[in-house]
């Protein structure tokens, strides 16, 4: 696996360029074309200018409507903005949802967050709402012939991770490299989890609650495998899933490869 390309953007979590990975027939994914990050609601003018200079032309927000309303993306002049949530519900603990019941469970059961995350990945794969919006996301990316498309959720790891899995697979990247790219979010979010844990400790939260918060702020092989197992067992494998559930036909897949792989 080639090393992930980390963008020098400090005010946005988990900023990476998918360029450099090797896809179909040894062709490399182009740089300055596909960018994955966390939310950009607090992006600084300096980082905004960097992304504009980097070629940014489109932003796709994968967060729920409630999350977008609570922490809306900063508008960047000259950049088109789209919202394609992977879930209509806010299950992140944002201002759109009362999480008191879940938090009480987190204080009692150190594994509650883990099981919830596995279920969330299963639902993102299986839910027709998610499938329809992934189709819209990939269609928009396929139709973009120039400039960089940035797609993001809150922390740039789960919903962003799933969209990245689909894109890299269509581009012909091997599954182990895709897995390692997905898991790399843990390294990118180390400081984020550290700061958040210190805040919870200061607030007097118990060890089980803090363990759950670390789980919710991380990615895991188990989540990745939950997605693949759901795809394989319920939808006949990833190729069938992409074609039949996501409605991404061979013509669209070839268009993506033409636009995003080096000749």
């Amino acid at each position: 696996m080639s090393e992930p390309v980390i963008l020098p953007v400090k005010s946005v979590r988990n900023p990476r360029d998918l360029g450099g990975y090797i896809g179909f027939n040894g062709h490399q994914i182009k740089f300055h074309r596909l960018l994955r990050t966390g939310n950009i609601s607090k992006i600084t003018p300096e980082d905004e200018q960097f992304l504009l200079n980097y070629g940014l032309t489109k932003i796709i927000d994968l967060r729920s409507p409630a999350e977008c309303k609570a922490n809306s993306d900063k508008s960047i002049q000259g950049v088109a903005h789209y919202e394609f949530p992977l879930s209509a519900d806010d299950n992140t603990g944002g201002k759109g949802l009362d999480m008191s019941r879940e938090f009480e469970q987190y204080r009692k059961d150190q594994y509650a967050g883990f099981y919830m995350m596995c279920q969330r990945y299963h639902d993102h794969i299986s839910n027709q709402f998610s499938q329809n919006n992934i189709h819209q996301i990939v269609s928009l990316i396929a139709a973009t012939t120039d400039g960089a498309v940035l797609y993001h959720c809150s922390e740039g790891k789960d919903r962003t991770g799933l969209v990245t899995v689909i894109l890299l697979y269509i581009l012909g990247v091997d599954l182990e490299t895709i897995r390692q790219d997905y898991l790399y979010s843990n390294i990118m979010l180390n400081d984020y989890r550290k700061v958040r844990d210190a805040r919870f400790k200061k607030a007097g939260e118990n060890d089980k609650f803090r363990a759950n918060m670390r789980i919710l702020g991380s990615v895991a092989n188990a989540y990745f495998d939950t997605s693949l197992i759901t795809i394989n067992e319920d939808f006949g494998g990833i190729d069938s899933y992409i074609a039949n559930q996501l409605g991404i036909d061979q013509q669209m897949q070839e268009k993506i490869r033409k636009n995003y792989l080096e000749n």
Side-chain angles (χ1 to χ4, degrees), residues 97-129:
L97 183 68
D98 178 9
M99 294 287 286
S100 58
R101 183 177 299 178
E102 285 81 1
F103 285 174
E104 281 304 309
Q105 188 65 25
Y106 295 160
R107 294 179 182 108
K108 297 175 183 176
D109 178 3
Q110 73 183 81
Y111 302 110
F114 173 78
Y115 291 118
M116 186 275 289
M117 288 296 287
C118 289
Q119 185 63 51
R120 187 181 294 176
Y121 273 74
H122 175 275
D123 292 347
H124 283 328
I125 292 297
S126 301
N127 187 282
Q128 190 171 3
F129 181 92

PDB file of all heavy atoms in Angstrom, residues 97-129:
ATOM      1  N   LEU A  97     -30.698  15.626  18.054  1.00  0.00           N
ATOM      2  CA  LEU A  97     -31.127  14.389  18.700  1.00  0.00           C
ATOM      3  C   LEU A  97     -30.768  14.388  20.179  1.00  0.00           C
ATOM      4  O   LEU A  97     -29.664  14.763  20.560  1.00  0.00           O
ATOM      5  CB  LEU A  97     -30.450  13.195  18.012  1.00  0.00           C
ATOM      6  CG  LEU A  97     -30.843  11.797  18.514  1.00  0.00           C
ATOM      7  CD1 LEU A  97     -32.288  11.498  18.154  1.00  0.00           C
ATOM      8  CD2 LEU A  97     -29.932  10.746  17.931  1.00  0.00           C
ATOM      9  N   ASP A  98     -31.713  13.957  20.996  1.00  0.00           N
ATOM     10  CA  ASP A  98     -31.469  13.783  22.429  1.00  0.00           C
ATOM     11  C   ASP A  98     -30.806  12.428  22.639  1.00  0.00           C
ATOM     12  O   ASP A  98     -31.401  11.386  22.387  1.00  0.00           O
ATOM     13  CB  ASP A  98     -32.797  13.866  23.182  1.00  0.00           C
ATOM     14  CG  ASP A  98     -32.627  13.642  24.686  1.00  0.00           C
ATOM     15  OD1 ASP A  98     -31.472  13.589  25.144  1.00  0.00           O
ATOM     16  OD2 ASP A  98     -33.650  13.517  25.371  1.00  0.00           O
ATOM     17  N   MET A  99     -29.554  12.436  23.105  1.00  0.00           N
ATOM     18  CA  MET A  99     -28.797  11.200  23.275  1.00  0.00           C
ATOM     19  C   MET A  99     -28.743  10.751  24.729  1.00  0.00           C
ATOM     20  O   MET A  99     -27.935   9.885  25.075  1.00  0.00           O
ATOM     21  CB  MET A  99     -27.366  11.405  22.750  1.00  0.00           C
ATOM     22  CG  MET A  99     -27.253  11.634  21.263  1.00  0.00           C
ATOM     23  SD  MET A  99     -27.554  10.144  20.292  1.00  0.00           S
ATOM     24  CE  MET A  99     -26.036   9.244  20.591  1.00  0.00           C
ATOM     25  N   SER A 100     -29.576  11.307  25.602  1.00  0.00           N
ATOM     26  CA  SER A 100     -29.479  10.998  27.030  1.00  0.00           C
ATOM     27  C   SER A 100     -29.666   9.515  27.314  1.00  0.00           C
ATOM     28  O   SER A 100     -28.976   8.941  28.164  1.00  0.00           O
ATOM     29  CB  SER A 100     -30.494  11.831  27.822  1.00  0.00           C
ATOM     30  OG  SER A 100     -31.815  11.604  27.362  1.00  0.00           O
ATOM     31  N   ARG A 101     -30.586   8.871  26.603  1.00  0.00           N
ATOM     32  CA  ARG A 101     -30.818   7.441  26.828  1.00  0.00           C
ATOM     33  C   ARG A 101     -29.596   6.628  26.414  1.00  0.00           C
ATOM     34  O   ARG A 101     -29.174   5.708  27.128  1.00  0.00           O
ATOM     35  CB  ARG A 101     -32.051   6.980  26.051  1.00  0.00           C
ATOM     36  CG  ARG A 101     -32.409   5.521  26.284  1.00  0.00           C
ATOM     37  CD  ARG A 101     -33.676   5.141  25.538  1.00  0.00           C
ATOM     38  NE  ARG A 101     -34.826   5.926  25.980  1.00  0.00           N
ATOM     39  CZ  ARG A 101     -36.042   5.812  25.463  1.00  0.00           C
ATOM     40  NH1 ARG A 101     -36.268   4.963  24.481  1.00  0.00           N
ATOM     41  NH2 ARG A 101     -37.019   6.559  25.920  1.00  0.00           N
ATOM     42  N   GLU A 102     -29.029   6.968  25.251  1.00  0.00           N
ATOM     43  CA  GLU A 102     -27.829   6.261  24.802  1.00  0.00           C
ATOM     44  C   GLU A 102     -26.663   6.501  25.762  1.00  0.00           C
ATOM     45  O   GLU A 102     -25.901   5.578  26.062  1.00  0.00           O
ATOM     46  CB  GLU A 102     -27.449   6.727  23.390  1.00  0.00           C
ATOM     47  CG  GLU A 102     -28.335   6.191  22.285  1.00  0.00           C
ATOM     48  CD  GLU A 102     -29.641   6.966  22.137  1.00  0.00           C
ATOM     49  OE1 GLU A 102     -29.865   7.954  22.883  1.00  0.00           O
ATOM     50  OE2 GLU A 102     -30.433   6.596  21.260  1.00  0.00           O
ATOM     51  N   PHE A 103     -26.524   7.726  26.233  1.00  0.00           N
ATOM     52  CA  PHE A 103     -25.424   8.035  27.145  1.00  0.00           C
ATOM     53  C   PHE A 103     -25.522   7.238  28.440  1.00  0.00           C
ATOM     54  O   PHE A 103     -24.502   6.793  28.983  1.00  0.00           O
ATOM     55  CB  PHE A 103     -25.379   9.531  27.443  1.00  0.00           C
ATOM     56  CG  PHE A 103     -24.840  10.366  26.320  1.00  0.00           C
ATOM     57  CD1 PHE A 103     -24.849  11.747  26.401  1.00  0.00           C
ATOM     58  CD2 PHE A 103     -24.313   9.779  25.172  1.00  0.00           C
ATOM     59  CE1 PHE A 103     -24.357  12.530  25.366  1.00  0.00           C
ATOM     60  CE2 PHE A 103     -23.823  10.548  24.133  1.00  0.00           C
ATOM     61  CZ  PHE A 103     -23.835  11.929  24.229  1.00  0.00           C
ATOM     62  N   GLU A 104     -26.723   7.048  28.928  1.00  0.00           N
ATOM     63  CA  GLU A 104     -26.900   6.236  30.129  1.00  0.00           C
ATOM     64  C   GLU A 104     -26.472   4.796  29.883  1.00  0.00           C
ATOM     65  O   GLU A 104     -25.870   4.149  30.739  1.00  0.00           O
ATOM     66  CB  GLU A 104     -28.362   6.284  30.602  1.00  0.00           C
ATOM     67  CG  GLU A 104     -28.719   7.537  31.369  1.00  0.00           C
ATOM     68  CD  GLU A 104     -27.807   7.763  32.571  1.00  0.00           C
ATOM     69  OE1 GLU A 104     -27.640   6.820  33.373  1.00  0.00           O
ATOM     70  OE2 GLU A 104     -27.246   8.877  32.690  1.00  0.00           O
ATOM     71  N   GLN A 105     -26.778   4.288  28.693  1.00  0.00           N
ATOM     72  CA  GLN A 105     -26.359   2.938  28.338  1.00  0.00           C
ATOM     73  C   GLN A 105     -24.841   2.861  28.243  1.00  0.00           C
ATOM     74  O   GLN A 105     -24.231   1.863  28.661  1.00  0.00           O
ATOM     75  CB  GLN A 105     -26.999   2.527  27.014  1.00  0.00           C
ATOM     76  CG  GLN A 105     -26.789   1.076  26.629  1.00  0.00           C
ATOM     77  CD  GLN A 105     -27.463   0.111  27.592  1.00  0.00           C
ATOM     78  OE1 GLN A 105     -28.425   0.454  28.262  1.00  0.00           O
ATOM     79  NE2 GLN A 105     -26.955  -1.107  27.664  1.00  0.00           N
ATOM     80  N   TYR A 106     -24.216   3.907  27.711  1.00  0.00           N
ATOM     81  CA  TYR A 106     -22.760   3.929  27.596  1.00  0.00           C
ATOM     82  C   TYR A 106     -22.094   3.903  28.968  1.00  0.00           C
ATOM     83  O   TYR A 106     -20.986   3.374  29.117  1.00  0.00           O
ATOM     84  CB  TYR A 106     -22.298   5.173  26.836  1.00  0.00           C
ATOM     85  CG  TYR A 106     -22.732   5.232  25.392  1.00  0.00           C
ATOM     86  CD1 TYR A 106     -22.749   6.453  24.701  1.00  0.00           C
ATOM     87  CD2 TYR A 106     -23.136   4.089  24.699  1.00  0.00           C
ATOM     88  CE1 TYR A 106     -23.142   6.520  23.375  1.00  0.00           C
ATOM     89  CE2 TYR A 106     -23.533   4.155  23.377  1.00  0.00           C
ATOM     90  CZ  TYR A 106     -23.540   5.372  22.720  1.00  0.00           C
ATOM     91  OH  TYR A 106     -23.941   5.440  21.411  1.00  0.00           O
ATOM     92  N   ARG A 107     -22.745   4.459  29.968  1.00  0.00           N
ATOM     93  CA  ARG A 107     -22.187   4.464  31.323  1.00  0.00           C
ATOM     94  C   ARG A 107     -22.296   3.100  32.002  1.00  0.00           C
ATOM     95  O   ARG A 107     -21.590   2.831  32.979  1.00  0.00           O
ATOM     96  CB  ARG A 107     -22.880   5.539  32.161  1.00  0.00           C
ATOM     97  CG  ARG A 107     -22.605   6.964  31.677  1.00  0.00           C
ATOM     98  CD  ARG A 107     -23.313   8.022  32.500  1.00  0.00           C
ATOM     99  NE  ARG A 107     -23.043   9.353  31.948  1.00  0.00           N
ATOM    100  CZ  ARG A 107     -23.950  10.094  31.298  1.00  0.00           C
ATOM    101  NH1 ARG A 107     -25.189   9.638  31.134  1.00  0.00           N
ATOM    102  NH2 ARG A 107     -23.619  11.268  30.819  1.00  0.00           N
ATOM    103  N   LYS A 108     -23.150   2.238  31.468  1.00  0.00           N
ATOM    104  CA  LYS A 108     -23.385   0.927  32.079  1.00  0.00           C
ATOM    105  C   LYS A 108     -22.700  -0.209  31.323  1.00  0.00           C
ATOM    106  O   LYS A 108     -22.310  -1.211  31.913  1.00  0.00           O
ATOM    107  CB  LYS A 108     -24.885   0.640  32.133  1.00  0.00           C
ATOM    108  CG  LYS A 108     -25.684   1.604  32.994  1.00  0.00           C
ATOM    109  CD  LYS A 108     -27.173   1.320  32.880  1.00  0.00           C
ATOM    110  CE  LYS A 108     -28.007   2.328  33.671  1.00  0.00           C
ATOM    111  NZ  LYS A 108     -29.464   2.093  33.472  1.00  0.00           N
ATOM    112  N   ASP A 109     -22.586  -0.063  29.991  1.00  0.00           N
ATOM    113  CA  ASP A 109     -22.095  -1.163  29.151  1.00  0.00           C
ATOM    114  C   ASP A 109     -20.972  -0.650  28.259  1.00  0.00           C
ATOM    115  O   ASP A 109     -21.214   0.139  27.344  1.00  0.00           O
ATOM    116  CB  ASP A 109     -23.249  -1.704  28.298  1.00  0.00           C
ATOM    117  CG  ASP A 109     -22.827  -2.822  27.352  1.00  0.00           C
ATOM    118  OD1 ASP A 109     -21.646  -3.235  27.383  1.00  0.00           O
ATOM    119  OD2 ASP A 109     -23.684  -3.279  26.568  1.00  0.00           O
ATOM    120  N   GLN A 110     -19.747  -1.114  28.506  1.00  0.00           N
ATOM    121  CA  GLN A 110     -18.606  -0.601  27.750  1.00  0.00           C
ATOM    122  C   GLN A 110     -18.628  -1.010  26.283  1.00  0.00           C
ATOM    123  O   GLN A 110     -17.882  -0.452  25.465  1.00  0.00           O
ATOM    124  CB  GLN A 110     -17.307  -1.075  28.390  1.00  0.00           C
ATOM    125  CG  GLN A 110     -16.990  -2.554  28.173  1.00  0.00           C
ATOM    126  CD  GLN A 110     -15.744  -2.982  28.889  1.00  0.00           C
ATOM    127  OE1 GLN A 110     -15.763  -3.263  30.087  1.00  0.00           O
ATOM    128  NE2 GLN A 110     -14.634  -3.018  28.166  1.00  0.00           N
ATOM    129  N   TYR A 111     -19.475  -1.985  25.920  1.00  0.00           N
ATOM    130  CA  TYR A 111     -19.533  -2.444  24.528  1.00  0.00           C
ATOM    131  C   TYR A 111     -20.733  -1.887  23.767  1.00  0.00           C
ATOM    132  O   TYR A 111     -20.927  -2.213  22.593  1.00  0.00           O
ATOM    133  CB  TYR A 111     -19.577  -3.972  24.492  1.00  0.00           C
ATOM    134  CG  TYR A 111     -18.400  -4.618  25.172  1.00  0.00           C
ATOM    135  CD1 TYR A 111     -18.557  -5.309  26.371  1.00  0.00           C
ATOM    136  CD2 TYR A 111     -17.117  -4.523  24.644  1.00  0.00           C
ATOM    137  CE1 TYR A 111     -17.472  -5.896  27.020  1.00  0.00           C
ATOM    138  CE2 TYR A 111     -16.031  -5.102  25.274  1.00  0.00           C
ATOM    139  CZ  TYR A 111     -16.215  -5.782  26.461  1.00  0.00           C
ATOM    140  OH  TYR A 111     -15.141  -6.361  27.097  1.00  0.00           O
ATOM    141  N   ALA A 112     -21.538  -1.060  24.400  1.00  0.00           N
ATOM    142  CA  ALA A 112     -22.752  -0.551  23.753  1.00  0.00           C
ATOM    143  C   ALA A 112     -22.435   0.219  22.480  1.00  0.00           C
ATOM    144  O   ALA A 112     -23.119   0.075  21.458  1.00  0.00           O
ATOM    145  CB  ALA A 112     -23.534   0.331  24.728  1.00  0.00           C
ATOM    146  N   GLY A 113     -21.399   1.041  22.520  1.00  0.00           N
ATOM    147  CA  GLY A 113     -21.023   1.819  21.352  1.00  0.00           C
ATOM    148  C   GLY A 113     -20.553   0.950  20.205  1.00  0.00           C
ATOM    149  O   GLY A 113     -20.847   1.234  19.039  1.00  0.00           O
ATOM    150  N   PHE A 114     -19.838  -0.111  20.534  1.00  0.00           N
ATOM    151  CA  PHE A 114     -19.347  -1.028  19.499  1.00  0.00           C
ATOM    152  C   PHE A 114     -20.503  -1.673  18.743  1.00  0.00           C
ATOM    153  O   PHE A 114     -20.530  -1.690  17.506  1.00  0.00           O
ATOM    154  CB  PHE A 114     -18.466  -2.097  20.126  1.00  0.00           C
ATOM    155  CG  PHE A 114     -18.045  -3.174  19.171  1.00  0.00           C
ATOM    156  CD1 PHE A 114     -17.027  -2.955  18.254  1.00  0.00           C
ATOM    157  CD2 PHE A 114     -18.686  -4.409  19.173  1.00  0.00           C
ATOM    158  CE1 PHE A 114     -16.648  -3.948  17.351  1.00  0.00           C
ATOM    159  CE2 PHE A 114     -18.310  -5.403  18.279  1.00  0.00           C
ATOM    160  CZ  PHE A 114     -17.292  -5.169  17.367  1.00  0.00           C
ATOM    161  N   TYR A 115     -21.478  -2.202  19.481  1.00  0.00           N
ATOM    162  CA  TYR A 115     -22.614  -2.856  18.824  1.00  0.00           C
ATOM    163  C   TYR A 115     -23.446  -1.854  18.029  1.00  0.00           C
ATOM    164  O   TYR A 115     -23.958  -2.176  16.957  1.00  0.00           O
ATOM    165  CB  TYR A 115     -23.470  -3.579  19.854  1.00  0.00           C
ATOM    166  CG  TYR A 115     -22.791  -4.793  20.454  1.00  0.00           C
ATOM    167  CD1 TYR A 115     -22.516  -4.871  21.815  1.00  0.00           C
ATOM    168  CD2 TYR A 115     -22.393  -5.854  19.640  1.00  0.00           C
ATOM    169  CE1 TYR A 115     -21.867  -5.981  22.359  1.00  0.00           C
ATOM    170  CE2 TYR A 115     -21.750  -6.963  20.168  1.00  0.00           C
ATOM    171  CZ  TYR A 115     -21.492  -7.025  21.531  1.00  0.00           C
ATOM    172  OH  TYR A 115     -20.844  -8.117  22.049  1.00  0.00           O
ATOM    173  N   MET A 116     -23.567  -0.646  18.554  1.00  0.00           N
ATOM    174  CA  MET A 116     -24.302   0.384  17.829  1.00  0.00           C
ATOM    175  C   MET A 116     -23.617   0.725  16.512  1.00  0.00           C
ATOM    176  O   MET A 116     -24.266   0.886  15.477  1.00  0.00           O
ATOM    177  CB  MET A 116     -24.439   1.639  18.701  1.00  0.00           C
ATOM    178  CG  MET A 116     -25.307   2.738  18.094  1.00  0.00           C
ATOM    179  SD  MET A 116     -24.401   3.826  16.972  1.00  0.00           S
ATOM    180  CE  MET A 116     -23.389   4.706  18.167  1.00  0.00           C
ATOM    181  N   MET A 117     -22.285   0.820  16.522  1.00  0.00           N
ATOM    182  CA  MET A 117     -21.554   1.140  15.305  1.00  0.00           C
ATOM    183  C   MET A 117     -21.681   0.030  14.271  1.00  0.00           C
ATOM    184  O   MET A 117     -21.856   0.304  13.077  1.00  0.00           O
ATOM    185  CB  MET A 117     -20.085   1.397  15.636  1.00  0.00           C
ATOM    186  CG  MET A 117     -19.827   2.708  16.375  1.00  0.00           C
ATOM    187  SD  MET A 117     -20.252   4.169  15.411  1.00  0.00           S
ATOM    188  CE  MET A 117     -18.911   4.172  14.216  1.00  0.00           C
ATOM    189  N   CYS A 118     -21.596  -1.225  14.716  1.00  0.00           N
ATOM    190  CA  CYS A 118     -21.785  -2.342  13.774  1.00  0.00           C
ATOM    191  C   CYS A 118     -23.159  -2.270  13.122  1.00  0.00           C
ATOM    192  O   CYS A 118     -23.298  -2.464  11.908  1.00  0.00           O
ATOM    193  CB  CYS A 118     -21.596  -3.673  14.493  1.00  0.00           C
ATOM    194  SG  CYS A 118     -19.881  -4.029  14.968  1.00  0.00           S
ATOM    195  N   GLN A 119     -24.175  -1.968  13.923  1.00  0.00           N
ATOM    196  CA  GLN A 119     -25.534  -1.859  13.391  1.00  0.00           C
ATOM    197  C   GLN A 119     -25.649  -0.693  12.415  1.00  0.00           C
ATOM    198  O   GLN A 119     -26.322  -0.792  11.381  1.00  0.00           O
ATOM    199  CB  GLN A 119     -26.542  -1.684  14.532  1.00  0.00           C
ATOM    200  CG  GLN A 119     -27.994  -1.682  14.081  1.00  0.00           C
ATOM    201  CD  GLN A 119     -28.402  -3.010  13.454  1.00  0.00           C
ATOM    202  OE1 GLN A 119     -28.180  -4.064  14.040  1.00  0.00           O
ATOM    203  NE2 GLN A 119     -28.989  -2.966  12.265  1.00  0.00           N
ATOM    204  N   ARG A 120     -24.972   0.394  12.724  1.00  0.00           N
ATOM    205  CA  ARG A 120     -25.026   1.570  11.853  1.00  0.00           C
ATOM    206  C   ARG A 120     -24.413   1.259  10.488  1.00  0.00           C
ATOM    207  O   ARG A 120     -24.951   1.652   9.445  1.00  0.00           O
ATOM    208  CB  ARG A 120     -24.294   2.747  12.514  1.00  0.00           C
ATOM    209  CG  ARG A 120     -24.431   4.054  11.755  1.00  0.00           C
ATOM    210  CD  ARG A 120     -23.680   5.174  12.445  1.00  0.00           C
ATOM    211  NE  ARG A 120     -24.245   5.514  13.741  1.00  0.00           N
ATOM    212  CZ  ARG A 120     -23.713   6.415  14.556  1.00  0.00           C
ATOM    213  NH1 ARG A 120     -22.598   7.053  14.226  1.00  0.00           N
ATOM    214  NH2 ARG A 120     -24.284   6.682  15.722  1.00  0.00           N
ATOM    215  N   TYR A 121     -23.282   0.551  10.483  1.00  0.00           N
ATOM    216  CA  TYR A 121     -22.661   0.176   9.204  1.00  0.00           C
ATOM    217  C   TYR A 121     -23.582  -0.753   8.414  1.00  0.00           C
ATOM    218  O   TYR A 121     -23.740  -0.601   7.198  1.00  0.00           O
ATOM    219  CB  TYR A 121     -21.304  -0.486   9.451  1.00  0.00           C
ATOM    220  CG  TYR A 121     -20.161   0.495   9.548  1.00  0.00           C
ATOM    221  CD1 TYR A 121     -19.982   1.290  10.680  1.00  0.00           C
ATOM    222  CD2 TYR A 121     -19.252   0.636   8.503  1.00  0.00           C
ATOM    223  CE1 TYR A 121     -18.936   2.189  10.773  1.00  0.00           C
ATOM    224  CE2 TYR A 121     -18.191   1.526   8.585  1.00  0.00           C
ATOM    225  CZ  TYR A 121     -18.038   2.306   9.724  1.00  0.00           C
ATOM    226  OH  TYR A 121     -17.004   3.201   9.806  1.00  0.00           O
ATOM    227  N   HIS A 122     -24.174  -1.715   9.102  1.00  0.00           N
ATOM    228  CA  HIS A 122     -25.122  -2.622   8.440  1.00  0.00           C
ATOM    229  C   HIS A 122     -26.248  -1.825   7.806  1.00  0.00           C
ATOM    230  O   HIS A 122     -26.641  -2.074   6.657  1.00  0.00           O
ATOM    231  CB  HIS A 122     -25.678  -3.621   9.457  1.00  0.00           C
ATOM    232  CG  HIS A 122     -26.751  -4.505   8.905  1.00  0.00           C
ATOM    233  ND1 HIS A 122     -28.089  -4.135   8.863  1.00  0.00           N
ATOM    234  CD2 HIS A 122     -26.698  -5.750   8.364  1.00  0.00           C
ATOM    235  CE1 HIS A 122     -28.797  -5.093   8.329  1.00  0.00           C
ATOM    236  NE2 HIS A 122     -27.984  -6.086   8.009  1.00  0.00           N
ATOM    237  N   ASP A 123     -26.773  -0.847   8.539  1.00  0.00           N
ATOM    238  CA  ASP A 123     -27.910  -0.071   8.045  1.00  0.00           C
ATOM    239  C   ASP A 123     -27.526   0.816   6.866  1.00  0.00           C
ATOM    240  O   ASP A 123     -28.300   0.963   5.917  1.00  0.00           O
ATOM    241  CB  ASP A 123     -28.489   0.781   9.174  1.00  0.00           C
ATOM    242  CG  ASP A 123     -29.157  -0.047  10.256  1.00  0.00           C
ATOM    243  OD1 ASP A 123     -29.402  -1.251  10.019  1.00  0.00           O
ATOM    244  OD2 ASP A 123     -29.424   0.493  11.350  1.00  0.00           O
ATOM    245  N   HIS A 124     -26.336   1.401   6.905  1.00  0.00           N
ATOM    246  CA  HIS A 124     -25.901   2.236   5.779  1.00  0.00           C
ATOM    247  C   HIS A 124     -25.782   1.417   4.495  1.00  0.00           C
ATOM    248  O   HIS A 124     -26.069   1.910   3.405  1.00  0.00           O
ATOM    249  CB  HIS A 124     -24.558   2.899   6.088  1.00  0.00           C
ATOM    250  CG  HIS A 124     -24.649   4.077   7.008  1.00  0.00           C
ATOM    251  ND1 HIS A 124     -25.721   4.924   7.045  1.00  0.00           N
ATOM    252  CD2 HIS A 124     -23.776   4.542   7.950  1.00  0.00           C
ATOM    253  CE1 HIS A 124     -25.523   5.866   7.952  1.00  0.00           C
ATOM    254  NE2 HIS A 124     -24.343   5.649   8.521  1.00  0.00           N
ATOM    255  N   ILE A 125     -25.376   0.166   4.633  1.00  0.00           N
ATOM    256  CA  ILE A 125     -25.272  -0.710   3.471  1.00  0.00           C
ATOM    257  C   ILE A 125     -26.651  -1.139   2.986  1.00  0.00           C
ATOM    258  O   ILE A 125     -26.924  -1.162   1.776  1.00  0.00           O
ATOM    259  CB  ILE A 125     -24.420  -1.959   3.806  1.00  0.00           C
ATOM    260  CG1 ILE A 125     -22.957  -1.571   4.046  1.00  0.00           C
ATOM    261  CG2 ILE A 125     -24.534  -3.013   2.704  1.00  0.00           C
ATOM    262  CD1 ILE A 125     -22.260  -0.970   2.838  1.00  0.00           C
ATOM    263  N   SER A 126     -27.560  -1.443   3.906  1.00  0.00           N
ATOM    264  CA  SER A 126     -28.836  -2.066   3.569  1.00  0.00           C
ATOM    265  C   SER A 126     -29.958  -1.086   3.262  1.00  0.00           C
ATOM    266  O   SER A 126     -30.884  -1.406   2.509  1.00  0.00           O
ATOM    267  CB  SER A 126     -29.294  -2.985   4.715  1.00  0.00           C
ATOM    268  OG  SER A 126     -28.346  -3.992   4.956  1.00  0.00           O
ATOM    269  N   ASN A 127     -29.888   0.099   3.860  1.00  0.00           N
ATOM    270  CA  ASN A 127     -30.991   1.046   3.756  1.00  0.00           C
ATOM    271  C   ASN A 127     -31.093   1.639   2.349  1.00  0.00           C
ATOM    272  O   ASN A 127     -30.103   2.109   1.796  1.00  0.00           O
ATOM    273  CB  ASN A 127     -30.779   2.163   4.795  1.00  0.00           C
ATOM    274  CG  ASN A 127     -31.952   3.107   4.873  1.00  0.00           C
ATOM    275  OD1 ASN A 127     -32.111   3.980   4.035  1.00  0.00           O
ATOM    276  ND2 ASN A 127     -32.774   2.931   5.894  1.00  0.00           N
ATOM    277  N   GLN A 128     -32.301   1.635   1.811  1.00  0.00           N
ATOM    278  CA  GLN A 128     -32.480   2.132   0.448  1.00  0.00           C
ATOM    279  C   GLN A 128     -32.208   3.632   0.361  1.00  0.00           C
ATOM    280  O   GLN A 128     -31.729   4.118  -0.671  1.00  0.00           O
ATOM    281  CB  GLN A 128     -33.892   1.831  -0.060  1.00  0.00           C
ATOM    282  CG  GLN A 128     -34.056   2.104  -1.542  1.00  0.00           C
ATOM    283  CD  GLN A 128     -35.370   1.607  -2.085  1.00  0.00           C
ATOM    284  OE1 GLN A 128     -36.215   1.104  -1.366  1.00  0.00           O
ATOM    285  NE2 GLN A 128     -35.568   1.750  -3.395  1.00  0.00           N
ATOM    286  N   PHE A 129     -32.488   4.362   1.428  1.00  0.00           N
ATOM    287  CA  PHE A 129     -32.182   5.798   1.457  1.00  0.00           C
ATOM    288  C   PHE A 129     -30.684   6.009   1.245  1.00  0.00           C
ATOM    289  O   PHE A 129     -30.264   6.837   0.422  1.00  0.00           O
ATOM    290  CB  PHE A 129     -32.628   6.396   2.790  1.00  0.00           C
ATOM    291  CG  PHE A 129     -32.387   7.872   2.920  1.00  0.00           C
ATOM    292  CD1 PHE A 129     -33.359   8.785   2.556  1.00  0.00           C
ATOM    293  CD2 PHE A 129     -31.171   8.356   3.412  1.00  0.00           C
ATOM    294  CE1 PHE A 129     -33.133  10.162   2.679  1.00  0.00           C
ATOM    295  CE2 PHE A 129     -30.935   9.718   3.540  1.00  0.00           C
ATOM    296  CZ  PHE A 129     -31.921  10.617   3.170  1.00  0.00           C
TER     297      PHE A 129
END
